[in-house]
Structure formats: C-alpha cells, structure tokens
Amino acid sequence: MAYPIPATRTADATAREVRSRLPGGVIEGRVVQEGTEKPVAGAWVSAGDPAWGKAQALALSGLDGRFRLSDLSPGTHTLRTVVGTNQLAEWACPEVTVTVESGATNRDVKISADRGGVLEVEARQAGAPIAN
C-alpha cells in the first residue's frame, strides 16, 4: 500500500499529493492478563492514527495471545483492544501508543488486560443530561 506524502512547491508548480513507494510497517505483540502474563485469546486489536481517529488495521489475538497488524503507514499509532463480545467488557485494556517505521517490524508490544470493564454513566434530570 502506498501512503500520501506532500509534494514540495516549485516556482512553476502547485503542491499536489504524490504517492510514496515506501512499504508499510508492522506491529506484532501479545495480549496478556495483568499480573499473571497468561495469554488472552480472542482480543480484537486495532491500530489507528490518533489524528485520524479511525482504525487502519484490525487483528484478532490467537490462543497464545499473539497478534499482527501489517501494512501500517509510518508514524504514531494508537492500539485499542476489546476482549469479548458482551456490551460490558469482561476485560479492560489501556490504549498503547506505538511508532511505526516504513518497512520495519515493531515486535514485542505488550497489551495488559485487567479483569473489569468500563462503565459509562450519564446523569439526567427531567429527561435531559445534566450540564458539567
């Protein structure tokens, strides 16, 4: 996959988007239980550029907890992990920030999962949200 890079301005040309021929990067790692280091299988790991706010790649961890995200654009990516299919997660995983270089593999990324989940609550009064 090619990734856009800005062209430089010249006296007789306007700036335009050109495609880089640089290869994408790879992130490899494991999802493990906090404290025990036991693998967590079936965790969905997504990589996204924090500025874009959307996932560029998605992987499912195997029985050994390992995952691989490939063909990522160079730069900083935020890894977000979801374990399970229930609306309320059984495991909570903090976001992990990883830097990707063109053509390189970033190995040994560890995502720690802790029992519990995230509960979002909205306070309402007379049917309307209460202002902060």
Side-chain angles (χ1 to χ4, degrees):
M1 178 179 280
Y3 299 99
I5 58 173
T8 57
R9 287 185 185 264
T10 61
D12 59 312
T14 60
R16 63 185 182 277
E17 185 179 279
V18 296
R19 295 282 174 185
S20 167
R21 297 291 178 214
L22 299 175
V26 176
I27 297 173
E28 294 179 345
R30 291 181 66 207
V31 182
V32 297
Q33 293 179 21
E34 180 71 35
T36 67
E37 299 295 309
K38 290 182 180 178
V40 176
W44 286 102
V45 182
S46 65
D49 181 327
W52 294 352
K54 64 179 182 177
Q56 183 180 350
L58 183 66
L60 183 64
S61 66
L63 293 175
D64 59 357
R66 295 199 177 280
F67 65 89
R68 178 181 170 90
L69 298 160
S70 57
D71 203 24
L72 298 168
S73 60
T76 302
H77 292 269
T78 300
L79 302 185
R80 293 177 179 90
T81 307
V82 176
V83 182
T85 58
N86 297 332
Q87 185 174 0
L88 295 177
E90 296 176 33
W91 298 90
C93 303
E95 292 181 352
V96 176
T97 302
V98 180
T99 300
V100 173
E101 294 182 17
S102 176
T105 299
N106 192 332
R107 294 181 168 85
D108 301 324
V109 174
K110 183 173 92 170
I111 299 173
S112 296
D114 202 3
R115 281 280 183 197
V118 177
L119 179 63
E120 291 186 26
V121 177
E122 179 180 74
R124 293 182 153 289
Q125 182 175 11
I130 299 174
N132 294 338

